[in-house]
């Protein structure tokens, strides 16, 4: 009797051990349906390995912000023109040629902003390169105000160029209008989807989130600046006609200041040009340390306000909204 009980206990222990072994083997081999579902979800949410990502190059800072925002972690995005460099006068480097030669997609602003691109693309010799013109479908603005060139020969004169750089395709500074920036983001989204359809959902979701922020920025500008209809301003860089048109501001003139050290005559001629238009505000750019601007402010007894054209700054795509919010505060202060 005792022997029979011991045999039964032994068989029971052996069965328990066998059951545990089977459970461990099932878990390790992935037979648990819940485990399989979790692993599939993790695989879907994880970014593609960097070797499988498409390579994208954006020309300068706003295009880089918009492209990075849409791409998220699904594409490798690089910038050609270093932030703060003069895009109009930029000279491409061998590294730029190599970047385009190995890229899948190139994102540009268009409207004649990137004069250096045509030869650089030709030198890169990349027949598979997809070029995204982010301004496609945007109606460009031409001249909306006269330009006063302060000449070193002793006079100022109005002429027919929108600023010192000739843009035959219209003014290219569309990214400073949040509504047009939304169109640029949509064009970039569509371009990335065409080049990388496997990540369509991610590109659509990322673009939608960024566009929502652009719409919020537009609403903030609209609600604030409707209190200052037809505020007049003069600028030294014709970068703001789209912003002015969108929010019923009046850019009455562009005064071109000498790039070199201005003479006393240059300063007086600039003062006369600004007085001629009797504007409420004078807009310059952040970080400009120019004796002419200081003299203008003193002689006219009016502050000169810094407006950021967004061609310099950190590479975080969220900086667009920080800089635009500061621009809105500046414009409101100037127009009061």
């Amino acid at each position: 009797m005792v022997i029979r009980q011991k045999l039964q206990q032994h068989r029971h222990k052996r069965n328990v051990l066998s059951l545990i072994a089977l459970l461990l083997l099932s878990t390790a081999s992935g037979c648990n349906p819940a485990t399989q579902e979790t692993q599939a979800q993790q695989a879907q949410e994880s970014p593609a390995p960097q070797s499988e990502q498409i390579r994208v190059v954006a020309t300068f800072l706003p295009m880089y912000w918009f492209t990075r925002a849409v791409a998220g972690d699904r594409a490798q995005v690089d910038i050609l023109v270093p932030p703060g460099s003069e895009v109009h006068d930029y000279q491409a480097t061998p590294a730029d040629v190599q970047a385009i030669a190995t890229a899948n997609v190139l994102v540009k602003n268009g409207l004649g902003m990137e004069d250096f691109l045509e030869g650089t693309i030709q030198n890169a010799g990349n027949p598979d390169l997809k070029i995204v013109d982010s301004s496609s479908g945007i109606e460009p603005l031409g001249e909306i105000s006269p330009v006063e060139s302060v000449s070193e020969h002793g006079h100022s004169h109005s002429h027919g160029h929108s600023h010192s750089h000739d843009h035959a395709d219209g003014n290219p500074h569309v990214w400073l209008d949040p509504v047009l920036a939304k169109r640029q983001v949509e064009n970039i989204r569509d371009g990335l989807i065409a080049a990388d359809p496997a990540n369509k959902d991610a590109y659509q979701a990322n673009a939608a989130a960024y566009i929502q922020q652009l719409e919020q920025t537009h609403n903030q500008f609209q609600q604030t600046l409707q209190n200052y209809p037809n505020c007049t301003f003069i600028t030294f860089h014709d970068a703001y006609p789209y912003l002015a048109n969108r929010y019923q501001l009046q850019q009455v003139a562009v005064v071109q200041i000498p790039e070199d050290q201005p003479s006393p005559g240059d300063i007086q001629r600039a003062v006369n040009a600004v007085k001629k238009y009797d504007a409420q505000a004078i807009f310059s750019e952040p970080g400009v340390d120019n004796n002419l601007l200081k003299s203008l402010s003193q002689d006219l007894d009016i502050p000169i306000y810094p407006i950021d054209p967004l061609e310099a700054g950190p590479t975080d795509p969220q900086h667009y909204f920080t800089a635009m919010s500061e621009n809105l505060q500046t414009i409101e202060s100037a127009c009061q």
Side-chain angles (χ1 to χ4, degrees):
M1 185 71 175
V2 174
I3 294 173
R4 185 181 300 122
Q5 288 178 344
K6 288 184 178 180
L7 288 173
Q8 289 175 344
Q9 290 174 353
H10 178 72
R11 283 196 296 269
H12 178 70
K13 289 181 180 179
R14 186 173 61 189
N15 291 337
V16 170
L17 291 174
S18 298
L19 179 60
I20 292 174
L22 285 172
L23 288 174
L24 290 174
L25 180 61
S26 172
T27 302
S29 61
C31 293
N32 188 327
T35 302
Q36 285 183 319
E37 182 178 351
T38 301
Q39 290 174 344
Q41 183 177 3
Q42 290 174 345
Q44 183 177 5
E45 293 177 352
S46 62
Q50 188 166 349
S51 59
E52 298 179 7
Q53 293 177 334
I54 62 169
R55 296 194 60 185
V56 185
V57 288
T59 50
F60 66 108
L61 194 56
M63 299 306 100
Y64 178 79
W65 286 334
F66 297 165
T67 306
R68 268 281 308 279
V70 175
D73 57 15
R74 301 299 168 129
Q76 178 184 339
V77 184
D78 298 310
I79 187 170
L80 292 180
V81 181
S85 300
E86 176 54 64
V87 182
H88 302 287
D89 301 327
Y90 185 71
Q91 299 293 321
T93 67
D96 296 331
V97 175
Q98 179 62 24
I100 293 176
T102 56
N104 303 102
V105 180
L106 169 68
V107 177
K108 67 176 184 177
N109 180 79
L111 296 177
M113 186 70 180
E114 300 101 337
D115 291 335
F116 69 92
L117 265 187
E118 184 176 354
T120 309
I121 293 173
Q122 185 176 358
N123 291 335
N126 183 350
D128 298 322
L129 180 70
K130 293 178 173 60
I131 300 176
V132 177
D133 184 345
S134 68
S135 296
S136 177
I138 294 176
E139 186 68 28
L141 288 175
E143 305 164 18
I144 70 168
S145 59
V147 175
E148 294 283 344
S149 282
V150 178
S151 171
E152 63 182 357
H153 301 298
H155 63 281
S156 64
H157 61 279
S158 299
H159 62 84
H161 297 289
S162 57
H163 68 51
S164 57
H165 303 279
D166 183 21
H167 293 294
D169 298 325
N171 193 298
H173 300 84
V174 294
W175 64 89
L176 287 162
D177 176 350
V179 176
L180 298 182
K182 174 183 170 181
R183 181 61 181 269
Q184 291 189 294
V185 170
E186 291 170 343
N187 286 334
I188 293 169
R189 174 202 63 198
D190 294 345
L192 292 184
I193 290 173
D196 184 22
N199 284 307
K200 175 181 178 179
D201 291 345
Y203 297 143
Q204 287 181 329
N206 293 340
Y210 203 75
I211 285 171
Q212 184 178 27
Q213 290 183 277
L214 289 170
E215 290 172 344
Q216 292 171 352
T217 299
H218 164 60
N219 291 335
Q220 290 168 357
F221 268 79
Q222 198 167 45
Q223 292 170 9
T224 300
L225 297 183
Q226 67 182 358
N227 299 318
Y228 310 100
N230 300 317
C231 173
T232 59
F233 70 91
I234 288 172
T235 182
F236 302 107
H237 179 194
D238 193 15
Y240 314 104
Y242 296 97
L243 189 69
N245 274 17
R246 180 68 60 189
Y247 303 111
Q248 287 74 56
L249 305 173
Q250 300 296 320
Q251 178 181 290
V252 295
V254 179
V255 176
Q256 292 182 346
I257 60 177
E259 295 182 0
D260 299 328
Q261 188 68 19
S263 68
D266 292 330
I267 294 173
Q268 187 56 52
R269 287 186 290 275
V271 169
N272 294 340
V274 171
K275 284 181 176 179
K276 175 180 176 180
Y277 293 95
D278 191 28
Q280 291 175 252
I282 304 173
F283 291 149
S284 181
E285 295 181 17
V288 174
D289 185 15
N290 190 304
N291 289 335
L292 175 55
L293 302 187
K294 295 176 182 177
S295 297
L296 280 173
S297 180
Q298 294 171 357
D299 293 349
L300 296 168
D301 192 24
I302 184 174
I304 296 178
Y305 300 89
I307 296 292
D308 191 347
L310 277 63
E311 296 177 28
T315 56
D316 182 357
Q318 290 299 309
H319 185 69
Y320 178 92
F321 305 106
T322 301
M324 288 296 286
S325 178
E326 293 173 354
N327 280 346
L328 177 57
Q329 294 175 20
T330 299
I331 295 170
E332 183 180 19
S333 299
C335 292
Q336 287 177 346

